[in-house]
Amino acid sequence: MDKPHIIQEIRKRNVSDIFNNKTIELDSKTVTRLKKIISCCLMLFLFLNIFPRVNFIKDIFFYLPLAITLFLIYLKKLDFSIKSPLLLPIIMFTVWAFLISIFAHNVFESFHSFYSHLVRYIIFYCLFINFLDTKSKIITLSWVIVLSTIIFFAGALIYYYITLQNPLSSRFGFSYFSINIISFGTIFSILLSFQLLSTEQFFFRKSILITGIILLVAATLLTQSRGAFISLVISTLIILARNKFFLISFIVILVALTSILPGKNRISPDKIFDDNARIGILYYSLEIVKDYPVMGTGFSIDVFKNKKIMNQEKYWENIPEQYRSVNFILPHSMPLSLLVRTGIIGLILFSFIFITLFRMCFKIIQSGKNEFLKGWGWCLVATLVMFIISGLFEPVFIHSLDTIFYTICAMITIIWKINEKADSS
């Protein structure tokens, strides 16, 4: 190819040829470059996921690879596959979400959430499993996620406790990055860091990972979130169960940080489930489920902020007096949110997605062709457990957490496919 740049190559084509069904030829080098652009955009999208207020840039890194992918599919230059065990449960839940949106309290809001919190991330998942589908890309991607999380929280901790001069006893979090969602990003990166550390050979990279783990554990504990603490302990024990040295080291770090940092009283046995606000939200959620048990209120995330739809006084007679004053704007839990918004059927269908993910992971662990695959199987089981436990205590249907969930789904699919290819070879 005489001209090296892709833009120059595309300019040479007659755009009207696309609409006249004429063949447009791209040489292999151009196709390879376009695929690399897609991979880089997806990694940049994931790098920025933890950062607030960069939605416009993230949209560029989402829609640009989507447009290039559609262009390559049109030219029949791309072998694009969405085949995986997850395909059926995702389709079933998506069809149900579409149906309940038709009959939702607010049809427009429901379909808006249907696209922005479901269809958009299914597209992301499909792009991910087609362009980040090798061992080396999984490792590179994990480094991208870990480094972005370390960079963000290093800066955030300095800003919150030094620049803003908040006392160390103050719960770590911001209005635009709430306490409730911090732990999803920190624990996800902690688990990836341990997995990378298990195979890393270079001292400098090991030092970055160890420093990052200590920093992210501290950030998690500083939120003083009880759900985050439970999630951190259980998910980390899963991934470290096979490595006694890492396990003992983590326990030492956790005990040391827990004894130094404030908030110990919030995780004491007599306080850990003492939360009237959550209990009040549970009561309101269950009352709504009684009114809409099968199809829920619709897929909309924000429908409960509409007081014409969600009138708390309507349910007062069925709720103990001490919980009536709770300001209910959304179910504060993943299962509750699914149950309220999509009904019993929606919760069951979404549960099938998790069941399928666990089955894929355990197949990797049981029949993995090498320690690399088995190690990643355990790591991804731990990430699923982290998401479920954290999701029991926190709302999860927001964009940054949608990205984490479908990233976990995609990584499991890729490792599963690599293992399946090893079986057939």
Side-chain angles (χ1 to χ4, degrees), residues 19-84:
F19 303 100
N20 294 329
N21 293 323
K22 295 180 181 179
T23 303
I24 300 175
E25 294 295 335
L26 292 178
D27 61 37
S28 59
K29 289 184 179 179
T30 303
V31 173
T32 300
R33 291 192 189 108
L34 287 172
K35 289 180 179 179
K36 287 182 178 179
I37 289 174
I38 294 171
S39 298
C40 289
C41 285
L42 292 174
M43 288 195 183
L44 288 169
F45 178 84
L46 288 168
F47 182 88
L48 292 174
N49 182 55
I50 200 73
F51 292 88
R53 298 176 177 174
V54 290
N55 291 338
F56 176 74
I57 302 174
K58 286 170 63 179
D59 283 346
I60 293 173
F61 292 137
F62 173 76
Y63 288 107
L64 177 59
L66 175 59
I68 297 173
T69 300
L70 294 174
F71 180 62
L72 291 176
I73 291 174
Y74 175 82
L75 297 181
K76 299 180 180 179
K77 295 290 184 179
L78 182 64
D79 182 17
F80 194 84
S81 173
I82 58 174
K83 184 179 179 182
S84 87

Side-chain angles (χ1 to χ4, degrees), residues 194-217:
F194 276 120
Q195 179 57 29
L196 292 171
L197 194 59
S198 67
T199 57
E200 185 54 62
Q201 301 296 323
F202 295 98
F203 176 77
F204 178 70
R205 293 178 186 173
K206 285 185 176 182
S207 301
I208 293 175
L209 292 171
I210 293 170
T211 304
I213 289 170
I214 296 171
L215 173 76
L216 296 177
V217 170

